Amino acid sequence: MVKYDRALDATFQALADPTRRAIVAALARGQASVTQLARPHRMSLPAVMKHLRVLEKAGLVTQKKFGRTRRCRLAARPLKKAEAWISQYRGFWETQFDSLDRYLAQQPTEVPEWPKNNSPQKQR
Amino acid sequence: MVKYDRALDATFQALADPTRRAIVAALARGQASVTQLARPHRMSLPAVMKHLRVLEKAGLVTQKKFGRTRRCRLAARPLKKAEAWISQYRGFWETQFDSLDRYLAQQPTEVPEWPKNNSPQKQR
């Protein structure tokens, strides 16, 4: 049977969007207001706030109101679990890279000389 | 400006579903047919194939036809990039845990004795 982990669902879902990943990166440099976060994306405030809600639901961002502005802050803790999940498979991608390395090591290192008027591929 | 990385979008999107994560986990134990993958999820074959297409599009699964069956195989390479992205923020969650550790270290280690008939929380 499958063990469901809704927290992991929410973390990966939150990270599956480039704007949301950029917001995480921006907040890693320090707290920011919604307006400051919206600026580099040339997005409307409501659009950025929608992304912030997804990040907040995933526990990756906390928001606090100071008067009329909201300060957003990175809460990186859910990333630990996401990293741990992915890391289980490190052996697989390392093996895949090792196989490629081994294959490349077995290939001749010198560039073969092609007959002058018989190029194997047409130059475009 | 935001640098878009569609490959990361696809990887995180693929991992944002518990059935797809379970398929990755199953394929880490070895190649499998679609029928074998469907069994623990009590799902229809078309439903599992839909998940497999998402994983395939993200480059996490490869499928090969052998006669009338399809063998699926894990292609873990995209996970390397996803792990690298998350790992950038390891400093943040480690700091958060460190702060918690420091806080707990400052607390008295002995369990305080509550007055016998004045329990601080109701037992349920």
Side-chain angles (χ1 to χ4, degrees):
Chain A
M1 284 303 293
V2 181
K3 269 191 209 166
Y4 291 96
D5 191 328
R6 295 295 172 206
L8 266 184
D9 289 11
T11 308
F12 286 129
Q13 188 62 58
L15 299 181
D17 181 277
T19 306
R20 291 198 290 268
R21 289 197 303 275
I23 290 173
V24 168
L27 292 176
R29 292 189 290 272
Q31 294 184 33
S33 69
V34 180
T35 317
Q36 286 169 327
L37 288 173
R39 209 167 292 146
H41 306 287
R42 293 176 194 171
M43 250 182 193
S44 68
L45 285 186
V48 170
M49 282 167 80
K50 207 173 159 185
H51 283 304
L52 281 169
R53 271 198 296 279
V54 177
L55 287 163
E56 211 180 1
K57 222 174 149 185
L60 287 164
V61 164
T62 56
Q63 291 189 53
K64 232 176 183 172
K65 259 195 159 179
F66 289 97
R68 287 175 65 188
T69 59
R70 277 169 191 275
R71 303 294 294 173
C72 302
R73 209 181 148 159
L74 181 62
R77 216 165 157 167
L79 293 177
K80 185 183 160 77
K81 210 174 175 181
E83 197 212 35
W85 190 90
I86 296 178
S87 300
Q88 302 175 84
Y89 306 101
R90 189 181 290 146
F92 281 85
W93 73 72
E94 281 177 352
T95 313
Q96 284 177 340
F97 281 117
D98 284 354
S99 309
L100 183 67
D101 283 347
R102 264 199 302 279
Y103 171 78
L104 291 174
Q106 284 162 4
Q107 300 310 300
T109 46
E110 283 175 59
V111 179
E113 270 186 43
W114 296 105
K116 274 184 182 166
N117 296 318
N118 190 14
S119 173
Q121 267 194 315
K122 268 196 179 173
Q123 301 284 330
R124 276 178 243 190
Chain B
M1 284 303 292
V2 180
K3 269 192 209 168
Y4 291 97
D5 191 329
R6 294 297 172 204
L8 266 184
D9 290 10
T11 308
F12 286 130
Q13 188 63 56
L15 299 181
D17 181 277
T19 305
R20 291 198 289 268
R21 289 198 301 277
I23 290 173
V24 168
L27 292 177
R29 291 190 289 273
Q31 296 183 32
S33 70
V34 179
T35 317
Q36 285 170 327
L37 289 172
R39 208 167 292 147
H41 306 286
R42 294 177 194 171
M43 250 184 193
S44 68
L45 286 186
V48 170
M49 282 168 80
K50 207 173 158 185
H51 284 305
L52 280 169
R53 271 197 295 278
V54 177
L55 288 163
E56 212 180 0
K57 221 174 149 185
L60 286 163
V61 164
T62 55
Q63 291 189 52
K64 232 177 184 173
K65 259 195 159 179
F66 289 96
R68 288 175 64 186
T69 59
R70 277 170 190 273
R71 305 293 295 173
C72 302
R73 209 180 149 159
L74 181 63
R77 217 165 155 167
L79 294 177
K80 186 184 160 77
K81 210 174 176 181
E83 196 212 36
W85 190 91
I86 296 178
S87 301
Q88 302 174 84
Y89 306 102
R90 189 181 290 146
F92 281 85
W93 73 72
E94 280 176 352
T95 314
Q96 285 176 341
F97 281 117
D98 283 354
S99 310
L100 184 68
D101 283 347
R102 267 199 301 278
Y103 171 78
L104 292 174
Q106 284 163 3
Q107 301 310 301
T109 47
E110 282 175 62
V111 179
E113 271 186 44
W114 297 105
K116 274 183 185 168
N117 296 318
N118 190 15
S119 174
Q121 266 192 313
K122 268 195 177 173
Q123 300 286 331
R124 276 180 239 187

